Amino acid sequence: MRRSCHRRPRPRVRFARVAGITAVLAGTWTLSACVGTAPSEVDPVASSAVAAGVVPGSPTAAVTPAPEPPAAMAVGDGAGAVAAADHLFALWTHARTTGSVAALTGTYADTCGICRDVTDRVVELAAIGVTEADGDLDLLDPTPTEIVPGSWFAVTGVLVEGPARLVDAEGVTTGTVDSGRYGVLMTLTWYEGVWRVESLDLEPPTP
């Protein structure tokens, strides 16, 4: 169902497109930058595996619950936007370490290319029995900006990715993932009590 910002005209949000970065997450993986200017249809499922909830080859997915949304996400303000950004990255870590992307469904719009890339990559690896171990994502110094009162927000900060290992279904390490540090520009909408990520740009932070 198409969602609007409380039936208001779509705000003209214009952020400069930043250069895409290449992050080594389970091999060479280009995370393309994306910028959204208005809410769009939610990507209902990234693949048929998402609909099942657990991707074949990911034995830990059935026993590892997804992180619960923090209490701050119940409010459509700047603190809620930061909490929603943190929660997305927590769900990314959960997906990458369990092979299940079910908890990501509906958390982002189809305008968020990086979000789709993460989901697709998890599904591809889980299909061959590969997940990640460790590799936590931490959002440092998050700063919210209210673009349209009560409905559109931006969050900036620095995303720190810890080193991780690629493991097969037997728990054997098959590769490693380098750590990384990226500047973040995320836009989010708040509608009918639900947060959704509309766009996410990542770039190497300025020294």
Side-chain angles (χ1 to χ4, degrees), residues 67-75 79-88 90-91 190 193 195:
E68 292 291 332
M73 283 182 63
V75 182
V82 170
D86 273 328
H87 187 55
L88 177 73
L91 292 178
W190 167 259
W195 286 102

Side-chain angles (χ1 to χ4, degrees), residues 115-165:
C115 302
R116 296 197 313 270
D117 288 345
V118 169
T119 299
D120 291 347
R121 186 60 175 173
V122 169
V123 171
E124 290 171 5
L125 290 176
I128 58 173
V130 174
T131 56
E132 293 185 25
D134 306 316
D136 288 342
L137 297 171
D138 295 311
L139 181 60
L140 305 182
D141 301 322
T143 301
T145 300
E146 193 170 23
I147 302 169
V148 175
S151 61
W152 272 80
F153 297 82
V155 174
T156 57
V158 175
L159 181 66
V160 177
E161 176 191 0
R165 295 175 295 112

Side-chain angles (χ1 to χ4, degrees), residues 20-24 28-31 182:
I21 65 169
T22 299
V24 184
T28 301
W29 183 8
T30 299
L31 300 182
Y182 314 108

Side-chain angles (χ1 to χ4, degrees), residues 15-26:
F15 290 104
R17 184 183 181 92
V18 300
I21 65 169
T22 299
V24 184
L25 302 176

